[in-house]
Amino acid sequence: MITLVEPARKSEEQFRDEVREMTSRKSHCVPQQEVLERVNRYVRGWVNYFHLHNSTRVFVRQRFFLEQRMRKYLQGRRQVRGFGFRRWPSAKLYKEFGLYAIPQYAPYRRARMP
C-alpha cells in the first residue's frame, strides 16, 4: 500500500485565507507592487515547505486559486466588474506582474532507508 504525503486540508485553507487577507479591499490603498511582493514571499515560502513531498494535486489547486484571486484583486483595484480572464490571462500575470509560479509538478523523492 502506497501512502501519499501531501499538505493537509487545514494547511491549504490557511494558505487561501492568508492570500485572501493580503489581497483584500484593505490592500487597495497599498502600492500594487508591495502587495505582489508580499504575496510572492508568502507563496514561495509555503511552496518550499511542502515541495519535498508528492503534493502535485495540491499545488495545481493552489495555483488555480492564486491566479483567480490575483485577477479578482486587480479587478477590484481598478473598480471593474467581472473576473478578468480576458484582461489578465495567466501568462500576463506571471510575465508582467511577476507573480510567483507555483510549480505544476513537485519532485517526488523516495525515503532513504538507513
Side-chain angles (χ1 to χ4, degrees), residues 15-46:
F15 173 84
R16 289 193 288 270
D17 291 342
E18 192 69 31
V19 171
R20 279 187 198 108
E21 180 65 31
M22 285 188 254
T23 59
S24 67
R25 271 191 182 169
K26 292 181 260 181
S27 67
H28 288 193
C29 60
V30 179
Q32 181 176 320
Q33 191 61 32
E34 188 177 322
V35 172
L36 283 168
E37 286 172 6
R38 205 177 302 159
V39 169
N40 281 343
R41 192 172 349 150
Y42 180 75
V43 171
R44 190 178 302 115
W46 191 86

Side-chain angles (χ1 to χ4, degrees), residues 40-58:
N40 281 343
R41 192 172 349 150
Y42 180 75
V43 171
R44 190 178 302 115
W46 191 86
V47 167
N48 285 338
Y49 183 77
F50 289 109
H51 197 65
L52 296 176
H53 304 292
N54 187 11
S55 49
T56 300
R57 288 183 295 181
V58 175

